């Protein structure tokens, strides 16, 4: 703890510090803890009336749920294995080789982050579906619906996040170890086996668990290209929206929560064990040119990246094609969207996402500031609570919002059916990632400046205004951009919260596809990507301007 933190605070400063903690902590309890309590309570409430274990007993006689569970686990494992192989290849090529086309690969890896997950499923249908372009060219009718279509779509969706984690792990290596190994006569292969792989074990574990969690909780790809291959995410949706069995939906939600929470717990344990490995002064080894190796990584790396680009680009192109793939002439008619509320949902999503970004970044800043200033057991307790949302799938969180904020005679029902509730649901769906990023940024605040403010008699207001806000400016912009992007494209967390008069853009894409307006769904998806890319670029430029770059 810094010297400034040990200086007795004036009463006004103590109250301001407490308010800085109570506001975000109260919001966390209201918009996360409360819905999760309702999920647990609702699982014991029998839909026909009464309280007991009836829903859990009924689960034993519901073979569809167990089939969906096994399907989800098998799909999650298969996707994790394939994604890790591809992600390791790409991450190693980007960090440790002189492969060409690194910028192109990085650009392609960012594309899935700009669109709802179901866009990848749409793209695969346009390419490999029964009426896809490949089937037309080869005069065949390939079958992409089901396990294989889901596998490919989920791999493409999870690959960018896995690559990001492995690149960070590779960048934490120490070049001095490789120099010492080379002096001792170790071959490149021996260095790879004895240094690179052991140093990546926690990164591989973390990436694998992230991919597994993303896969078993994803709803977008499952609803578009899953076909008859049921998974837990679609099973929850069917139980609640299809059969109106809310108690059973809560039980299935808890079932989906278990593997996701277990994965998060394992990842946290691995992260703690990894903490402290390597010296602070370590710098990663610089890639050395090896023509044959670099050429191989270039061909395969660009091939993988081009596959992502081709799938996303196909969705964009299909929005301008009159009748895919039979009449390929240009048209704008698919952008004349009048069903499913037209473009109202796009502007609602924009408002919801901007609100989630602004309010979320402010709450995370106050929470991180308070935790850093308080320290001790209270800070550890708050950090634990702030980390819990990452283990809750979006569908489960959204279902908890229905139970909690649609409860009669409760004061918080005033939020139900409002833009504010949608924004808070999206924010707390990604709360943990934003909190970790914010805490990482605040660790860069120089303790000497804190001490100087304290010694000179400056209070909490001066500390916030003159030290923390300037130092955390870049982090605030980064967190805001992240929350905006995820809020614009998320589907699972809000699917239960939309109303006939208040819908979101990702839900509109799903509705258009369900109604058979696939080309209009592609056109709407293209507009979502355009909006997300434009606003994200604007936030980036505003951040650079504010930083004086």
């Amino acid at each position: 703890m810094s010297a400034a933190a040990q200086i007795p605070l004036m009463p006004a400063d103590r109250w301001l510090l407490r308010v800085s903690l109570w506001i975000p902590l109260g919001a966390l309890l209201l918009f996360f803890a409360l819905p999760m309590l309702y999920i647990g309570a609702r699982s014991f409430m029998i839909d026909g009336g009464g309280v007991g274990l009836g829903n859990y007993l009924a689960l034993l006689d519901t073979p569809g749920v167990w089939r969906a569970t096994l399907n989800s686990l098998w799909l999650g494992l298969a996707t994790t294995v394939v994604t890790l192989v591809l992600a390791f290849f790409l991450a190693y090529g980007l960090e440790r080789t002189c492969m060409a086309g690194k910028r192109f690969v990085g650009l392609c890896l960012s594309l899935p982050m700009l669109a709802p997950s179901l866009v990848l499923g749409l793209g695969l249908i346009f390419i490999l579906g029964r009426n896809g372009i490949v089937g037309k060219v080869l005069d065949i009718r390939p079958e992409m619906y089901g396990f294989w279509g889901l596998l490919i779509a989920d791999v493409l969706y999870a690959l960018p996040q896995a690559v990001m984690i492995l690149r960070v792990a590779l960048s934490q290596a120490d070049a001095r170890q490789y120099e010492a190994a080379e002096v001792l006569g170790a071959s490149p292969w021996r260095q790879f086996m004895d240094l690179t792989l052991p140093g990546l074990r926690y990164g591989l574990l973390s990436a694998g668990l992230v991919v597994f969690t993303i896969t078993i909780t994803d709803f977008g790809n499952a609803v578009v290209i899953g076909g008859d291959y049921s998974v837990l995410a679609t099973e929850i949706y069917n139980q609640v929206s299809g059969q109106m069995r809310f108690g059973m939906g809560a039980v299935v939600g808890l079932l989906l929560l278990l593997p996701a929470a277990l994965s998060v717990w394992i990842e946290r344990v691995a992260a703690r064990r990894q903490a402290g490995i390597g010296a602070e002064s370590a710098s990663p080894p610089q890639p050395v040119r090896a023509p044959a190796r670099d050429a191989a990584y270039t061909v395969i790396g660009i091939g993988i990246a081009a596959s992502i680009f081709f799938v996303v680009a196909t969705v964009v192109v299909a929005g301008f094609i009159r009748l895919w793939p039979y009449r390929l002439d240009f048209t704008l008619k698919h952008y004349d969207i009048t069903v499913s509320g037209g473009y109202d949902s796009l502007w609602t999503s924009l408002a919801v996402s901007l609100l989630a970004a602004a309010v979320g970044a402010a709450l995370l800043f106050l929470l991180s500031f308070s935790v850093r200033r308080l320290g001790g057991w209270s800070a550890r307790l708050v950090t634990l609570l702030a980390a819990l949302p990452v283990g809750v799938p979006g569908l489960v969180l959204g279902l908890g919002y229905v139970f909690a904020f649609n409860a009669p005679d409760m004061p918080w029902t005033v939020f139900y059916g409002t833009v504010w509730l949608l924004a808070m649901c999206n924010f707390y769906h990604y709360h943990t990632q934003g909190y970790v990023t914010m805490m990482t940024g605040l660790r860069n605040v120089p303790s000497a400046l804190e001490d100087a403010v304290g010694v000179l008699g400056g209070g909490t207001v001066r500390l916030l205004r003159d030290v923390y806000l300037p130092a955390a400016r870049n982090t605030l912009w980064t967190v805001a951009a992240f929350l905006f992007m995820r809020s614009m494209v998320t589907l699972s967390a809000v699917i239960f919260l939309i109303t006939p008069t208040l819908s979101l853009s990702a839900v509109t894409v799903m509705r258009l596809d369900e109604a058979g307006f696939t080309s209009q769904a592609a056109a709407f998806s293209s507009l979502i990507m355009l909006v997300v890319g434009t606003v994200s670029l604007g936030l980036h430029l505003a951040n650079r301007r504010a930083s004086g770059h």
Side-chain angles (χ1 to χ4, degrees):
M1 187 176 294
S2 65
Q6 300 175 7
I7 296 175
L9 295 174
M10 299 293 290
D13 290 324
R14 281 199 300 270
W15 275 106
L16 182 58
L17 186 59
R18 289 172 183 170
V19 169
S20 298
L21 174 64
W22 290 343
I23 291 177
L25 184 58
L28 182 60
L29 293 174
L30 176 61
F31 292 107
F32 173 72
L34 181 67
M36 297 312 300
L37 290 175
Y38 267 89
I39 281 281
R42 192 66 179 81
S43 68
F44 293 101
M45 298 173 62
I46 303 173
D47 293 326
V51 178
L53 298 176
N55 293 321
Y56 291 91
L57 295 176
L59 186 66
L60 300 176
D61 296 326
T62 310
V65 173
W66 298 110
R67 182 170 58 253
T69 301
L70 293 176
N71 287 346
S72 292
L73 293 176
W74 170 236
L75 178 66
L77 291 173
T79 302
T80 300
V81 171
V82 176
T83 303
L84 283 183
V85 172
L86 298 179
F88 176 79
F89 187 94
L90 287 174
Y92 191 86
L94 292 170
E95 293 292 325
R96 298 291 179 84
T97 74
C98 296
M99 61 175 284
K102 289 186 178 182
R103 288 189 177 181
F104 174 75
V105 173
L107 172 64
C108 293
L109 288 174
S110 68
L111 292 178
M113 304 295 291
L114 302 179
S117 61
L118 55 81
V119 167
L120 296 169
L122 278 177
L124 289 175
I125 291 173
F126 283 125
I127 298 171
L128 299 171
R130 298 186 187 108
N131 296 315
I133 191 70
V134 171
K136 183 177 183 297
V137 172
L138 300 180
D139 196 22
I140 59 175
R141 288 179 64 85
E143 180 58 62
M144 281 301 297
Y145 292 96
F147 173 80
W148 293 108
L150 270 176
L151 176 63
I152 298 173
D154 286 336
V155 166
L156 296 179
Y157 183 61
L159 185 60
Q161 299 183 57
V163 171
M164 180 178 63
I165 294 172
L166 294 182
R167 289 189 69 178
V168 171
L170 285 168
S171 67
Q172 293 175 348
D174 192 346
R176 292 171 296 187
Q177 295 179 343
Y178 289 86
E179 294 170 358
E182 190 170 351
V183 170
L184 294 174
S187 64
W189 176 251
R190 196 66 187 174
Q191 294 177 37
F192 177 80
M193 296 298 296
D194 293 345
L195 295 177
T196 303
L197 283 183
L200 269 180
R201 60 184 183 274
Y202 291 121
L204 287 168
L205 177 62
S206 179
L209 293 174
V210 167
V211 171
F212 180 78
T213 302
I214 290 174
T215 302
I216 64 171
T217 60
D218 178 64
F219 177 71
N221 283 323
V223 76
V224 168
I225 203 172
D228 295 330
Y229 191 85
S230 63
V231 293
L232 278 173
T234 53
E235 188 64 28
I236 294 177
Y237 184 73
N238 291 334
Q239 291 289 339
V240 174
S241 295
Q243 304 179 39
M244 303 301 290
R245 300 174 65 185
F246 293 98
M248 183 62 71
V251 173
V252 179
L254 293 176
L255 187 63
L256 180 61
L257 182 62
L258 292 177
L262 179 62
S263 297
V264 171
W265 179 77
I266 295 174
E267 193 275 334
R268 295 296 172 189
V269 172
R272 284 197 298 269
R273 291 184 179 180
Q274 189 182 19
I277 295 178
E280 292 184 359
S281 59
S283 59
Q286 297 300 313
V288 178
R289 292 193 177 278
R293 179 204 63 188
D294 295 342
Y297 273 92
T298 298
V299 172
I300 300 177
I302 290 181
I304 297 173
S307 300
I308 299 175
F309 179 83
F310 185 57
V311 171
V312 176
T314 299
V315 174
V316 176
V317 172
F320 295 100
I321 299 302
R322 185 171 298 278
L323 182 61
W324 185 276
Y326 302 104
R327 296 180 59 186
L328 301 181
D329 49 308
F330 177 86
T331 182
L332 292 175
K333 72 170 188 175
H334 301 307
Y335 284 86
D336 184 19
I337 299 173
T338 57
V339 297
S340 297
Y343 287 112
D344 290 346
S345 63
L346 183 61
W347 311 128
T348 302
S349 287
L350 184 59
V352 166
S353 301
L354 290 173
L355 184 60
V359 175
L363 290 176
L364 288 171
F365 174 76
L366 290 176
L367 185 63
S368 302
F369 169 76
S370 303
V371 168
R372 179 178 167 90
R373 296 294 298 169
L374 289 172
W377 67 268
S378 58
R380 291 192 293 271
L381 182 61
V382 173
T383 297
L384 175 62
L385 183 59
L388 292 179
V390 73
V392 179
L395 277 170
V396 179
L397 182 62
L399 188 59
Y401 270 54
V402 173
F403 296 150
F405 294 99
N406 197 26
D409 303 325
M410 291 297 179
W412 46 77
T413 57
V414 67
F415 294 112
Y416 194 76
T418 65
V419 170
W420 175 265
L421 189 65
L422 292 171
M424 290 300 97
C425 184
N426 283 335
F427 165 49
Y428 283 101
H429 186 199
Y430 297 101
H431 180 274
T432 302
Q433 297 92 320
Y435 176 76
V436 171
T437 304
M438 190 67 71
M439 285 296 295
T440 302
L442 292 190
R443 289 193 188 102
N444 296 326
V445 175
S447 58
L449 291 179
E450 294 184 77
D451 297 339
V453 172
V455 170
L456 294 174
T460 303
V461 173
R462 294 292 300 272
L463 192 63
L464 278 170
R465 186 188 67 193
D466 298 337
V467 177
Y468 274 87
L469 279 175
R473 182 183 293 113
N474 289 342
T475 305
L476 278 166
W477 284 107
T478 300
V479 170
F482 168 77
L483 292 175
F484 173 81
M485 291 176 62
R486 302 319 300 162
S487 181
M488 278 292 298
V489 302
T490 191
L491 174 63
S492 60
V494 297
I495 187 62
F496 294 128
L497 297 179
I498 62 169
T499 67
T501 59
L502 187 68
S503 186
L504 296 177
S505 54
V507 179
T508 298
V509 174
M510 187 188 79
R511 299 295 188 217
L512 288 169
D513 178 69
E514 288 179 337
F517 299 109
T518 310
S519 295
Q520 290 192 348
F524 208 99
S525 299
S526 302
L527 291 177
I528 295 175
M529 289 185 281
L530 178 62
V531 170
V532 174
T534 301
V535 175
S536 300
L537 179 60
L539 290 173
H540 174 71
L541 295 177
N543 181 26
R544 293 192 56 171
R545 187 177 304 165
S547 303
H549 296 310

